[in-house]
């Protein structure tokens, strides 16, 4: 109404101005008497002023005020509580405003509501029940009365400030742990140990003081940290630079010590926080260390860092302890079922064969799930070639349904080369089994889907075969590992180490020596892995169509045909052998039609972190993902976006949110 009156006033002023100009022109040009005409114009002006004044008063009289509806007492209460109301008509024009707005010096009667407060759009459309707007430095919560053209304004500034303050002061419990500390100082003299301690502990103490955290040393390599949400947000903003600082400090004194941290938050129950932070630290370390594991109660685990490859830190003592525990579980079981991952490779089948031979030597009926979940092409060909020999050795390959029929109360299920039931070729068996053991070398994911009674996950190991070969003398020294079994194990190690180029330590070669002593023939193993001429052509074709991106990133999209995951990984390895390539990603549909990525890096790019963001996993330098909800083109788009988000922060600490 107010806007319409303003428009009419402007139009009337233009008309009167025009009349005045014409009158003066007539008097000047034609020498006419203009006083009667000027008198008429003055009368028009007076009448118009009276009319407009009358219309404004009439509009106000016709509009029932909020105060007359609610009463003076109610309005006083609204004003005291800093509540306001705005009434609008069918055209969303403001027709009434409460005294709150008068106190703020705001008068929008006659104006369109959304031109004044665009934030109310979702509220008016029904898309939201509550909206927020900032007026005169205060925050107001907007709600709409159902079926009535009224919006209520509630001042929530103080409440929001209290909420923010309460959130910032919530307790966060953390543990900091120096990885490889005991191994690095085991044979050092006291002077060297003191120097190492000063080099790595001082930065942590300074970091805690700078961020005003409570820090207390629990042991030589472990610290308790107490902080609040505000400080925690500062650490996130800082990208946990202490990881990089400790890494550099350790390199300066020539030791392989890194820092793992765990942060638990989201509850005021200290027992829950203690349980959470302990599990998180274990999770960070089993993923290779040099990273931060974070969890808010009820939410998924997030990871920071993980920028360096895991180093060997398992001891012979731990291998012996784990092996003896496994031996006891086998002896107390009725039978054993060995499960591998889907699209089983040589590492999976080789370790499964070794585990089966150990359990069989202890007198237990053993079966290997290999008829479901798929096999890599070369593994399938090798198994078919030697199937009769395996049958003669007593190896029993079965399907998942057959394994379910063999499952009993005391059955022991051993998962090799994987630790998540979603990746397993026997997930139903693992979920229903009472006793499950995990032997794996992949970085641990936050969810496994089972609760194992024994778990042996070593991310520093090159392969599952490396772990299993070390266990054989302790679990079953009389195990009949045949040259055929050993050759499969050798092939698994060759593939997972990329022909001894990555993830190899002294223990890796020790394990290879053990396998060689069982008759494992490298020449036979390499024979299993030979590629056909068609595969050679395909590799060259894919590589010729690969795209190079900044930072040595190479992405190859295979859209013309389906290829095996094994072939994808081989192509990625070959791309990585090209000078200047830091990371290679091969994207294609596998034989089952899934959209897949096989990722490889030289260690400077954390491909595991990238694959985890896309729903996969693996190692720092070798990872993969399989998706059934995206095309390969869409998967490539998401991959590029994720690489861009990583920002090329190689060897830097970065949030995995999944962060």
């Amino acid at each position: 109404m107010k806007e319409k009156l303003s428009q009419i006033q402007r139009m009337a002023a233009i008309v009167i101005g025009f009349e005045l100009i014409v009158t003066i022109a007539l008097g000047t040009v034609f020498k006419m008497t203009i006083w009667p005409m000027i008198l008429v114009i003055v009368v028009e002006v007076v009448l118009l002023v009276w009319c407009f004044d009358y219309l404004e008063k009439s509009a106000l009289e016709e509009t029932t005020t909020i105060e007359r509806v609610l009463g003076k007492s109610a309005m006083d209460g609204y004003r005291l509580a800093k509540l306001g109301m705005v009434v609008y008509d069918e055209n969303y024009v403001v027709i009434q405003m409460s005294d709150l707005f008068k106190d703020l010096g705001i008068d929008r009667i006659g104006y369109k509501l959304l031109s004044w407060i665009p934030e109310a759009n979702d509220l008016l459309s029904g898309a939201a029940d509550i909206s927020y707007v900032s007026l005169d430095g205060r925050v107001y919560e907007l709600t709409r009365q159902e079926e009535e053209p009224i919006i209520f304004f509630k001042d929530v500034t103080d409440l929001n400030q209290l909420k923010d303050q309460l959130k910032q002061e919530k307790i966060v419990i953390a543990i900091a742990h120096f990885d490889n500390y005991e191994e690095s100082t085991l044979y050092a003299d006291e002077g060297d140990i003191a120097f190492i301690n000063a080099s790595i502990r001082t930065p942590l103490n300074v970091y805690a003081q700078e961020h005003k955290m409570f820090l207390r040393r629990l042991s030589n390599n472990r610290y308790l940290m107490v902080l609040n949400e505000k400080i925690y947000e500062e650490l996130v903003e800082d990208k946990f630079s202490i990881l990089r600082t400790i890494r550099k400090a350790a390199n300066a004194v020539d030791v392989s010590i890194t820092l793992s941290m765990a942060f638990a938050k989201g509850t005021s129950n200290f027992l829950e926080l203690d349980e959470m932070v302990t599990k998180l630290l274990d999770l960070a370390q089993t993923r290779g260390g040099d990273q931060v594991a974070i969890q808010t109660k009820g939410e998924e685990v997030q990871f920071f860092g993980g920028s360096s490859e895991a180093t060997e830190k398992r001891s012979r003592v731990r291998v012996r302890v784990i092996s003896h525990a496994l031996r006891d579980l086998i002896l107390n079981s009725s039978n054993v079922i060995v499960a591998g991952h889907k699209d089983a490779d040589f590492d999976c089948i080789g370790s499964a064969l070794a585990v089966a031979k150990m359990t069989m030597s202890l007198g237990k009926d053993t079966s290997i799930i290999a008829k479901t979940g798929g096999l890599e092409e070369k593994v399938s060909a090798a198994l078919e070639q030697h199937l009769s020999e395996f049958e003669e050795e007593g190896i029993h390959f079965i399907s998942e349904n057959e394994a379910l029929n063999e499952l009993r109360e005391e059955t022991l299920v051993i998962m090799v080369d994987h630790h998540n039931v979603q990746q397993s070729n026997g997930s139903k068996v693992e979920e229903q089994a009472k006793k499950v053991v995990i032997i794996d070398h992949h970085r641990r994911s936050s969810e496994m889907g089972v609760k194992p009674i024994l778990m042996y996950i070593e991310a520093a190991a090159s392969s599952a075969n490396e772990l299993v070969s070390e266990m054989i003398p302790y679990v079953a020294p009389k195990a009949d590992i045949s040259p055929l079994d050993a050759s499969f194990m050798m092939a698994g190690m060759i593939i997972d180490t990329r022909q001894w180029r990555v993830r190899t330590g002294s223990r890796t070669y020790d394990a290879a020596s053990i396998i060689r002593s069982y008759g494992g023939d490298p020449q036979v193993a390499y024979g299993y892995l030979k590629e056909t001429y068609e595969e050679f052509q395909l590799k060259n074709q894919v590589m010729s169509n690969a795209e190079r991106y900044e930072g040595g990133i190479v992405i190859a999209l295979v859209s013309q045909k389906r290829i095996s995951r094994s072939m994808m990984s081989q192509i990625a390895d070959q791309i990585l052998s090209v000078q200047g390539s830091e990371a290679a990603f091969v994207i294609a549909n596998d034989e089952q039609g899934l959209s897949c990525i096989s990722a490889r890096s030289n260690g400077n790019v954390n491909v595991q972190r990238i694959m985890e963001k896309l729903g996969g996993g693996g190692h720092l330098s070798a990872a993969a993902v399989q998706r059934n909800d995206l095309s390969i083109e869409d998967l490539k788009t998401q991959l590029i976006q994720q690489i861009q988000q990583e920002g090329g922060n190689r060897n830097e600490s970065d949030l995995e949110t999944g962060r």
Side-chain angles (χ1 to χ4, degrees), residues 88-104:
Y88 55 89
D89 62 16
E90 66 278 2
N91 296 317
Y92 298 104
V93 175
V94 177
I95 59 176
Q96 297 173 22
M97 302 180 74
S98 66
D99 288 347
L100 171 70
F101 302 99
K102 187 185 294 183
D103 296 339
L104 295 174

Side-chain angles (χ1 to χ4, degrees), residues 172-458:
V172 179
I173 297 295
I175 292 179
H177 181 93
F178 289 118
D179 309 314
N180 309 319
Y181 177 85
E182 293 178 353
E183 290 78 2
S184 299
T185 59
L186 184 61
Y187 301 108
D189 57 38
E190 292 186 3
D192 290 338
I193 293 174
F195 183 59
I196 292 171
N197 288 340
S199 299
I200 62 174
R201 290 176 181 174
T202 301
L204 183 60
N205 282 308
V206 171
Y207 188 73
Q209 290 174 6
E210 287 177 348
H211 293 282
K212 298 180 175 58
M213 292 184 288
F214 172 83
L215 182 71
R216 183 69 69 235
R217 184 156 60 91
L218 302 177
S219 63
N220 286 334
N221 59 351
R222 184 166 295 195
Y223 286 78
L224 171 67
M225 305 169 74
V226 181
L227 56 153
N228 58 31
E229 282 277 357
K230 182 180 180 181
I231 297 173
Y232 166 76
E233 289 172 3
E234 293 175 0
L235 301 184
V236 173
E237 185 69 23
D238 178 55
K239 293 186 178 180
F240 292 97
S241 62
I242 187 62
L243 297 183
R244 187 167 59 256
T245 303
I246 296 298
R247 196 183 313 128
K248 289 181 178 178
N251 289 337
V253 294
D254 198 26
V255 293
S256 59
I257 294 175
T258 55
L259 185 68
S260 290
M261 302 176 78
F263 289 79
K265 59 196 188 78
T267 176
S268 57
N269 188 319
F270 285 95
L271 293 177
E272 290 182 346
L273 290 173
D274 176 60
E275 183 179 356
M276 286 169 60
V277 79
T278 303
K279 290 181 178 178
L280 288 169
L281 184 63
D282 181 58
L283 185 57
Q285 290 181 306
T286 54
R287 286 170 55 88
D290 190 26
Q291 59 192 280
V292 182
I294 306 157
Q295 186 175 30
T296 302
K297 185 185 176 184
E299 298 181 9
E300 292 185 359
V301 180
Q302 293 179 309
F303 297 100
F304 244 113
S307 301
S308 59
E309 188 67 88
T311 56
E312 289 185 354
K313 51 181 176 287
R314 66 189 188 279
S315 65
R316 304 282 182 186
V317 174
R318 183 163 187 253
V319 174
R320 186 173 69 250
V321 170
I322 293 287
S323 300
H324 287 170
L326 177 61
R327 177 185 172 89
D328 291 340
L329 289 171
I330 294 171
L331 291 173
N332 291 321
S333 65
S334 57
N335 62 309
V336 177
I337 298 173
V338 184
H341 56 73
K342 296 174 182 176
D343 293 313
D345 53 14
F346 275 102
D347 189 38
C348 179
I349 295 299
S351 56
L353 289 170
V355 169
K357 285 299 183 70
M358 286 192 291
T359 58
M360 289 165 62
S361 72
L362 295 175
K364 301 299 177 181
D365 292 334
T366 304
S367 300
I368 300 174
I369 300 177
K371 293 183 178 179
T372 52
L375 298 168
E376 286 191 353
E377 187 177 351
K378 288 181 171 55
V379 176
S380 179
L383 283 177
E384 188 174 348
Q385 178 185 349
H386 298 288
L387 189 58
S388 59
E389 297 173 58
F390 283 125
E391 289 177 350
E392 290 175 5
E393 292 180 8
I395 299 295
H396 188 206
F397 294 113
I398 61 173
S399 66
E400 184 177 28
N401 287 333
E402 290 174 319
L404 287 170
N405 292 332
E406 293 183 4
L407 189 62
R408 297 192 283 274
E409 189 75 19
E410 296 301 320
T411 298
L412 179 65
V413 176
I414 302 177
M415 300 166 60
V416 294
D417 201 31
H418 73 295
H419 60 268
N420 192 316
V421 295
Q422 294 180 352
Q423 303 167 338
S424 180
N425 63 7
S427 56
K428 293 179 181 177
V429 177
E430 293 161 0
E431 289 170 347
Q432 295 181 27
K434 302 293 184 182
K435 297 190 293 185
V436 176
V437 171
I438 293 175
I439 302 173
D440 191 20
H441 69 111
H442 296 96
R443 289 196 177 197
R444 181 179 163 187
S445 58
S446 56
E447 295 296 331
M448 295 188 291
V450 292
K451 292 183 177 180
I453 56 176
L454 180 64
M455 180 173 64
Y456 188 32
I457 299 178
E458 283 291 345

Side-chain angles (χ1 to χ4, degrees), residues 534-547:
E534 290 74 16
E535 290 173 338
F536 175 76
Q537 280 187 314
L538 176 61
K539 283 184 180 181
N540 289 329
Q541 181 182 355
V542 173
M543 289 184 66
S544 65
N545 294 325
E547 299 174 345

Side-chain angles (χ1 to χ4, degrees), residues 510-570:
D510 289 344
S513 176
I514 294 172
I515 294 172
R516 186 73 179 91
S517 70
Y518 288 124
D521 190 338
Q523 195 167 4
V524 172
Y526 277 108
Y528 294 147
L529 306 177
K530 280 185 178 179
E531 60 188 25
T532 64
Y533 183 73
E534 290 74 16
E535 290 173 338
F536 175 76
Q537 280 187 314
L538 176 61
K539 283 184 180 181
N540 289 329
Q541 181 182 355
V542 173
M543 289 184 66
S544 65
N545 294 325
E547 299 174 345
R548 295 193 65 180
Y549 294 81
E550 186 178 356
I553 304 296
V554 181
I555 299 177
L557 178 69
V558 184
S559 56
Q560 61 268 40
K561 63 181 299 183
R562 294 182 179 184
I563 61 176
S564 67
R565 296 181 196 173
S566 174
M567 177 56 62
M568 292 182 216
S569 63
Q570 291 176 46

Side-chain angles (χ1 to χ4, degrees), residues 612-659:
E612 282 184 337
K613 288 289 185 65
L614 297 177
H619 288 281
L620 182 143
S621 57
V625 64
Q626 297 87 40
R627 297 282 292 270
N628 59 7
D629 58 339
L630 290 174
S631 66
I632 55 175
E633 290 77 14
D634 292 337
L635 192 57
K636 178 184 176 182
T637 301
Q638 288 196 10
L639 171 64
I640 293 173
Q641 290 174 348
Q642 190 55 50
I643 293 172
Q644 290 172 343
Q645 286 179 15
E646 289 291 317
N649 288 337
R650 296 194 291 271
N651 288 325
E652 298 291 335
S653 298
D654 232 61
L655 181 61
E656 298 187 349
T657 353
R659 294 255 188 259

